Amino acid sequence: MAFSQSIGKAQTPAVCQFCEESTEIKWKCINCELFLCQLCCSKIHSKSKASMEHEIINLQDVETDNFATSMRKVDLDNMECTKHIKQKCFFYCNKCSEPACSECVVETHKLHDFKAIGEVYKDIISEMKKLNDTFESNIQIFRNKKDKLQKMLSDGDTNFQETKEIILQTEKELKERISKHAKDFVQKLEARWKSSENMIKTELSTMKKNEDELETRKNNLNQALQSHQAADIFSTSKILDKPLPKYSTRKINHNKAKFIPRYNQGIIGSWMFGELCTIPKMELIDTYPTNVEDLTNILLSIDNSSAIIGSYKSKKLQKIKIENHNIKVEKEFQIAVIDMTLTNNEGILVSSGESDLKQYTKEGQLMTFKSFSPLKTLGVHFTKHDQIIVGLTESFPVVTSSSKDSIRRLVIMNQAGDIHHTIEYDSDNTRMLTYPYKISSGNNILVVVDIINKKWEGKIVKVDYGGHLYWTYNGCQSIISKPFCPRDVAITSSDMIIVTDDGSHAIHVISSYGENIMCKDLKSLGIELPWSLSIDKNEVLWIGCRKLGTDKSKILRVKLI
């Protein structure tokens, strides 16, 4: 039809087609196909009963959505039946999903369910616009996911390349003697990254495919909405119920690698060349408030449903039940707790800075296990070899500036309290420890938190049961500029050493060779002043914090990913 043609500037007449005088043409009657001036449009054309309901558009709106809508409305009012010549469509057959004229009603669509064509038209337009909005929001979701995957891919590839360069640089410095081990590390690194890279690329490809599909469908929909033909709307409506692409629920966790070079003389092997570590990620799982000022210790039950916690400032040892984001105190003793450890008979050994090492029995009694008088007990630890290790000093509070007569040692004894041997000096007869505050053990090694001054700064010391000193860790000043203030230590099943740092609100992850793998600022997880530390069977960290301001201390669960 003539009125469905596009209106260009070249088609606009020089004067108003109604009064044939005015050159200020601003309007177009779609039904009459007349170009009108302002006066004729408002004073004459719109007043006539015959043209009162005609569709009038401003020439400035040509090629806009409003224009297309007006054109379709007129086209709808004049839409001819495709089966009956010169018959207009007034109805819409719900069963056949198509427009129908009066002859169609009594012939092709007899006894079918009908609606007014204008009503159905409005419903379809509304549905198409809603779907268009859905396309927009879903496309944005796919774009966001694609961007995240692209960044993950980029960061992972950058990390891969940088780590590979460190490995290859170390290979160059050690030359031919260790070239074989360098290649082995590159292969291990590549195997780790390629697995993640392939998953990321697969997800990225899926996101791109889904985005392209939605873009195509959106473009088709927009073309229909901009069409001047009402029939295009009905033909497009038949594919509106096509399902949207599904979002991927696959979670990709890619941990960056870290290569730690090590230069040593002697036997050549991969462990002499360096160490390839995976940098863990941390995720806060839950927080439990307590009623004590500081948490010096946490001992968990096998199923993590209960625990024993200790506080030095509040002078409390509590048996607690953990449920519904809260803890319930089931039993309490008045005793200042410096350190405690769980034995294999379910008893708990408690050090309080006194000469007597106490035992909290499974029957709920607190009694003396062994006296070290006149020495004072500090850290205490029960090993998987059923040995008890206790840190001892000549006085408490500890005077960190030790003298020749000072005693700062570890004693190793059996479950009956019989001392097998002590650890105090290294091979050069130099005192190794100042204040053996906390103790943990791994595969035939001991790791000790040693406090070195009145500011509670310290170090981590690794020794074997014979007293051989392996290494000393003094923090990671290159990453965290604040003094290193270790408070507790634990060892994972993969021999990573985890240390809480109260001074920097941080967690340090150390390799079994004493090299820093990661320093994590816990403030980003909402954790401050971390103190005690425990690791459950699922490799989840339980961190006890001391109070901040007027708040009481908290227990926090942090997942290592």
Side-chain angles (χ1 to χ4, degrees), residues 214-264:
L214 283 179
E215 283 284 5
T216 300
R217 292 174 63 182
K218 177 190 169 187
N219 290 338
N220 293 339
L221 194 62
N222 284 334
Q223 286 179 9
L225 289 172
Q226 293 170 6
S227 170
H228 302 164
Q229 302 288 336
D232 291 343
I233 298 298
F234 292 106
S235 62
T236 305
S237 71
K238 295 179 181 180
I239 61 170
L240 295 181
D241 59 348
K242 184 180 178 182
L244 297 173
K246 293 183 178 180
Y247 305 132
S248 172
T249 58
R250 186 180 188 182
K251 186 176 182 181
I252 301 174
N253 287 318
H254 172 65
N255 293 69
K256 294 182 180 180
K258 182 173 184 177
F259 181 73
I260 304 172
R262 193 163 45 252
Y263 308 96
N264 287 300

Side-chain angles (χ1 to χ4, degrees), residues 7-45:
I7 302 174
K9 288 184 178 180
Q11 296 174 284
T12 306
V15 296
C16 172
Q17 292 179 320
F18 206 87
C19 67
E20 296 184 348
E21 292 180 1
S22 176
T23 58
E24 298 292 327
I25 301 173
K26 293 185 176 181
W27 305 94
K28 164 82 175 190
C29 175
I30 304 299
N31 302 71
C32 301
E33 289 199 289
L34 293 177
F35 290 88
L36 308 171
C37 66
Q38 179 66 42
L39 182 62
C40 290
C41 180
S42 60
K43 298 295 183 180
I44 302 175
H45 186 275

Side-chain angles (χ1 to χ4, degrees), residues 100 105 188 203 214 238 248 288 315 338 351 357 400 542:
V105 172
K188 289 178 182 178
E203 287 296 294
L214 283 179
K238 295 179 181 180
S248 172
Y288 307 92
K315 296 183 179 180
I338 290 179
S351 166
L357 184 66
T400 53
W542 292 69

Side-chain angles (χ1 to χ4, degrees), residues 78-90 98-104 108-109 229 231 234:
N78 296 274
M79 189 167 68
E80 292 185 355
C81 179
T82 57
K83 298 177 182 178
H84 301 95
I85 299 173
K86 294 183 180 180
Q87 292 294 318
K88 293 184 180 180
C89 294
F90 297 102
E98 64 182 23
C101 68
S102 55
E103 291 188 25
C104 289
T108 311
H109 305 284
Q229 302 288 336
F234 292 106

Side-chain angles (χ1 to χ4, degrees), residues 286-305:
D286 215 338
T287 301
Y288 307 92
T290 74
N291 63 357
V292 297
E293 291 185 52
D294 60 344
L295 274 163
T296 52
N297 287 95
I298 306 173
L299 298 179
L300 299 166
S301 63
I302 294 176
D303 61 359
N304 299 334
S305 63

Side-chain angles (χ1 to χ4, degrees), residues 124-186:
I124 295 175
I125 287 291
S126 176
E127 185 179 352
M128 293 176 76
K129 288 182 178 180
K130 288 180 181 178
L131 185 59
N132 192 53
D133 292 339
T134 302
F135 284 161
E136 282 288 354
S137 61
N138 279 266
I139 287 172
Q140 190 57 50
I141 291 172
F142 282 119
R143 283 175 179 168
N144 292 339
K145 287 182 175 290
K146 185 184 71 173
D147 291 343
K148 288 180 181 178
L149 288 170
Q150 190 67 56
K151 187 177 187 306
M152 185 183 293
L153 180 65
S154 177
D155 290 347
D157 189 64
T158 299
N159 173 248
F160 164 68
Q161 296 296 339
E162 290 176 350
T163 308
K164 179 181 176 181
E165 284 303 315
I166 296 174
I167 294 171
L168 296 178
Q169 180 62 29
T170 307
E171 175 196 17
K172 181 180 179 180
E173 293 173 359
L174 296 180
K175 297 182 179 178
E176 296 297 329
R177 296 189 303 162
I178 52 173
S179 60
K180 179 181 178 297
H181 303 293
K183 293 176 183 178
D184 290 342
F185 277 123
V186 170

Side-chain angles (χ1 to χ4, degrees), residues 274-287:
E275 188 175 14
L276 186 61
C277 305
T278 298
I279 302 175
K281 297 176 184 177
M282 295 186 178
E283 177 182 313
L284 180 63
I285 302 174
D286 215 338
T287 301

